[in-house]
Amino acid sequence: MARVRNIKNSPMALNPSFLLFPLSPFSSLLFSPKNSRSPRTPRLCSPPNFSLLFLSLLSFFTLLGFLTLFFVPVSQNSVSCSVSSVIPETTDDDGDSRLLKIAMVPLPAHRVVRNMTEEERVFWRQPDGENYRPCLGFGIRYRRESARVTKEKRRFLVVVVSGGLNRVRNQIVDAVVIARILEAALVVPVLQVDPVWGDESGFSDIFDVKHFIRTLRADVRVVSSLPSTHLVSRQTVATQLPHHVHPLWIRARFLKQLKQKGLLVLKVLDSKLSKSLPPDLQKLRCKAAFHALRFAAPIRELGNRLARRMWIEGPYVALHMRLEKDVWIRTGCLTGLGPQYDAIIRRDRDLRPEFLTRSLNMSHIRRGPAGLCPLNALEMARLLRALGAPKAARIYIAGGEPFGGALALKLLMEEFPNAATKDTLAREGELVPYANRSSVLAAIDYIVSLSSDVFVPSYGGNMARAMQGHRAYVGHGKFINPNKQLMLPFFEEAAVSDAEFRSMMKKLHMNLQGQPELRTNDRARDVVAYPVPECMCKH
């Protein structure tokens, strides 16, 4: 892997005009030589020869000035990308381009072939991106502080994270930012076994540790383990963090004791850090999420193999179907598979009422129209056909084992017979090493979904937000976010014709198909899901 060259502190990076010395031909007129000669000095040239020499020097400096103007690269980023942007880290686009090369990037999108209908062309058409591209130029103050922060050897931050893959990714990203806020060295995060997933994978089983450390070395010092001088008995464990905490709160709460004890352990970090941070910390979030958190090599290799098997046969859609048993328990929704399956969900929900996390007093009848339930197989199939997906379209179904098995996906696969999952796509033995590693299987889904021409989640959540931001960051891949609250009433209306239904679905999703969407001041909007404008700017 090529090393990313850091040129952010070079004089040229700070001021492209650094090499433009005052070599104007007219400057020689301000410093005319005195017309005096010593009688002992022999006369080297006559006045006509002196004129020729002057003209030669004039021509030389003029040419040199033009060459300097022509060859010195002036950064497009020297103008701020947005109101909150700061002076860029590099002198041109090469810095961000080199950084992007070490990120997880998708396979190239397919071109629309000629033998498609106009409706199918529109379905596969990619958003233009409005010329937004990654732009991670950190400010001068941030870069000056980095020289000190990245050499920290006295204060250490340990973070314990848990949950599914994308929840873990969010917590690790926040851990990087908190380490920067506290100016502490970050120990490679500890992955706790989640009671629902039961996955015992460690950080190095899922992510490329060396790449993680190397990518962040200009921002935060990351170490693989605690030094022997920092004993566990001296630790301070913090588990109660309020929601939407800001850097000032974090410093006020932890900095003093971190300086005294040298070690801070944070647990239950999930989505506690504020989504609205200073621009440099937002850029650090993007750098951690899209560049540093690269999956381990075996996972990348297998995920890319499966992605190529889908990609080689033409454009494909990736669906993230949240039909697992724990999802039905947590959402309080009915499965649509019949009374037998719904009875099982009710029983398990009664045994673990703490799993129901939202709108506790809302009945299951009202949850669907409120958009709180995942789309089932029939609803997803109808939506895709209404939006113009051809019946022969290749479909990749991401997600865990659905509750109800093949029955849960039957109606979708009947409508789109060219549907596949990682289990049907993989060859014999390829998935055997990861049979009980849900996070690794989710990482494989992530890689295949990232390379899809169209991505559609059946339910909002960490995977949907991660894919929305990542697809925007690496090329504006088409992302369709189902507008469940407005569309589901039409699913129940028998009087609506098929033509009317298709027309209504297209209108409802006209502006939800991957065009750059600015991250507003809404504190619920994470920059990792909405990287424009903090992490991307127009070129």
Side-chain angles (χ1 to χ4, degrees):
M1 181 61 61
R3 180 175 297 178
V4 179
R5 189 177 63 178
N6 184 4
I7 60 173
K8 61 184 179 181
N9 289 327
S10 67
M12 193 185 301
L14 297 178
N15 186 5
S17 63
F18 174 76
L19 295 179
L20 300 183
F21 297 104
L23 298 177
S24 169
F26 300 102
S27 62
S28 62
L29 298 178
L30 301 177
F31 302 96
S32 300
K34 294 182 180 180
N35 188 15
S36 61
R37 293 189 304 273
S38 170
R40 295 181 182 179
T41 304
R43 191 170 182 175
L44 299 178
C45 57
S46 62
N49 292 336
F50 179 81
S51 300
L52 289 175
L53 177 62
F54 177 80
L55 291 175
S56 299
L57 290 173
L58 180 64
S59 301
F60 171 77
F61 287 129
T62 302
L63 178 61
L64 182 61
F66 279 116
L67 290 175
T68 305
L69 287 172
F70 183 77
F71 285 107
V72 171
V74 179
S75 172
Q76 290 179 338
N77 293 339
S78 60
V79 180
S80 60
C81 297
S82 64
V83 175
S84 60
S85 294
V86 288
I87 295 177
E89 184 178 14
T90 57
T91 58
D92 53 21
D93 295 339
D94 290 343
D96 290 331
S97 298
R98 286 193 296 268
L99 196 59
L100 194 58
K101 288 179 181 178
I102 64 174
M104 290 189 299
V105 295
L107 296 170
H110 294 84
R111 292 183 178 181
V112 178
V113 296
R114 295 180 179 179
N115 58 349
M116 289 185 180
T117 65
E118 182 58 28
E119 186 180 44
E120 292 170 356
R121 288 175 182 273
V122 172
F123 178 78
W124 293 116
R125 185 178 299 153
Q126 297 298 308
D128 60 20
E130 300 177 9
N131 289 324
Y132 278 104
R133 285 163 41 189
C135 182
L136 297 184
F138 293 94
I140 294 178
R141 180 178 177 183
Y142 179 93
R143 289 180 286 165
R144 286 174 178 168
E145 293 174 349
S146 295
R148 181 182 70 258
V149 175
T150 55
K151 293 180 176 61
E152 179 56 52
K153 296 181 180 180
R154 295 171 299 172
R155 300 191 294 268
F156 292 86
L157 173 65
V158 175
V159 175
V160 181
V161 300
S162 64
L165 172 70
N166 293 289
R167 182 182 172 192
V168 163
R169 290 180 79 252
N170 290 340
Q171 294 174 77
I172 295 172
V173 169
D174 283 355
V176 171
V177 177
I178 292 175
R180 174 76 191 202
I181 292 171
L182 293 174
E183 298 184 1
L186 175 66
V187 181
V188 170
V190 179
L191 272 61
Q192 192 175 44
V193 179
D194 188 88
V196 174
W197 301 98
D199 190 346
E200 298 182 356
S201 299
F203 187 97
S204 61
D205 297 319
I206 304 173
F207 304 105
D208 187 335
V209 179
K210 291 183 179 179
H211 176 80
F212 182 74
I213 296 173
R214 183 170 57 246
T215 304
L216 296 173
R217 64 185 175 184
D219 308 276
V220 175
R221 182 170 181 248
V222 182
V223 296
S224 56
S225 60
L226 276 173
S228 58
T229 54
H230 289 66
L231 302 176
V232 177
S233 59
R234 299 172 58 192
Q235 69 180 347
T236 298
V237 181
T239 59
Q240 300 298 324
L241 271 70
H243 288 281
H244 310 296
V245 295
H246 287 268
L248 288 177
W249 188 95
I250 292 174
R251 291 191 187 97
R253 174 67 177 84
F254 298 119
L255 191 56
K256 182 178 180 180
Q257 61 190 38
L258 182 59
K259 288 181 178 179
Q260 291 175 346
K261 299 185 177 182
L263 177 63
L264 172 65
V265 180
L266 290 180
K267 300 178 68 174
V268 194
L269 191 61
D270 192 25
S271 298
K272 299 299 179 67
L273 185 62
S274 173
K275 302 297 184 291
S276 298
L277 296 174
D280 285 330
L281 295 182
Q282 296 286 54
K283 293 176 188 296
L284 180 58
R285 258 183 170 153
C286 293
K287 187 175 182 179
F290 303 133
H291 299 277
L293 279 178
R294 190 175 69 179
F295 295 127
I299 300 174
R300 295 201 314 273
E301 292 170 4
L302 179 55
N304 287 330
R305 282 203 300 271
L306 299 189
R308 282 193 294 270
R309 289 170 194 170
M310 291 293 301
W311 185 88
I312 199 67
E313 297 189 27
Y316 70 95
V317 183
L319 308 178
H320 188 226
M321 300 295 292
R322 295 304 312 274
L323 303 177
E324 300 93 336
K325 185 178 181 180
D326 74 288
V327 175
W328 295 116
I329 294 175
R330 292 176 185 273
T331 59
C333 302
L334 298 182
T335 65
L337 300 176
Q340 177 183 357
Y341 293 95
D342 290 337
I344 296 173
I345 296 299
R346 286 196 186 96
R347 182 199 64 198
D348 290 357
R349 190 179 296 139
D350 291 339
L351 293 175
R352 301 294 298 272
E354 68 274 12
F355 278 5
L356 186 60
T357 55
R358 295 180 61 185
S359 305
L360 303 182
N361 297 323
M362 184 180 291
S363 67
H364 65 82
I365 298 176
R366 296 173 53 199
R367 286 177 180 271
L372 299 179
C373 298
L375 296 178
N376 60 34
L378 177 60
E379 293 166 339
M380 181 63 80
R382 292 192 66 189
L383 174 62
L384 290 177
R385 290 306 305 272
L387 294 178
K391 188 176 181 65
R394 296 272 292 167
I395 306 290
Y396 180 82
I397 302 174
E401 180 66 26
F403 179 64
L407 180 62
L409 298 174
K410 180 181 178 181
L411 297 177
L412 175 64
M413 301 189 81
E414 286 179 350
E415 189 66 34
F416 296 96
N418 290 328
T421 65
K422 54 182 170 292
D423 297 289
T424 61
L425 202 60
R427 293 170 184 168
E428 185 177 358
E430 285 184 323
L431 293 177
V432 171
Y434 312 117
N436 298 317
R437 302 292 181 92
S438 59
S439 293
V440 174
L441 296 176
I444 293 171
D445 280 339
Y446 192 106
I447 294 171
V448 181
S449 297
L450 186 63
S451 286
S452 66
D453 296 82
V454 181
F455 179 82
V456 188
S458 71
Y459 180 69
N462 292 321
M463 173 67 166
R465 288 190 291 271
M467 197 56 55
Q468 177 181 348
H470 204 149
R471 290 173 69 86
Y473 192 78
V474 296
H476 304 284
K478 192 168 188 176
F479 178 93
I480 300 175
N481 189 17
N483 192 338
K484 290 182 287 186
Q485 283 185 285
L486 296 181
M487 77 183 213
L488 287 179
F490 293 95
F491 282 72
E492 306 295 333
E493 186 60 55
V496 177
S497 66
D498 288 342
E500 291 175 327
F501 181 79
R502 288 197 300 271
S503 176
M504 187 55 63
M505 292 302 103
K506 291 174 183 177
K507 288 180 180 179
L508 289 177
H509 298 90
M510 185 179 301
N511 297 322
L512 299 173
Q513 301 199 20
Q515 288 297 119
E517 189 173 354
L518 298 181
R519 196 193 79 84
T520 62
N521 292 326
D522 184 355
R523 66 180 186 176
R525 285 196 166 189
D526 191 349
V527 70
V528 176
Y530 299 90
V532 179
E534 283 99 338
C535 300
M536 302 183 74
C537 55
K538 285 192 176 184
H539 287 253

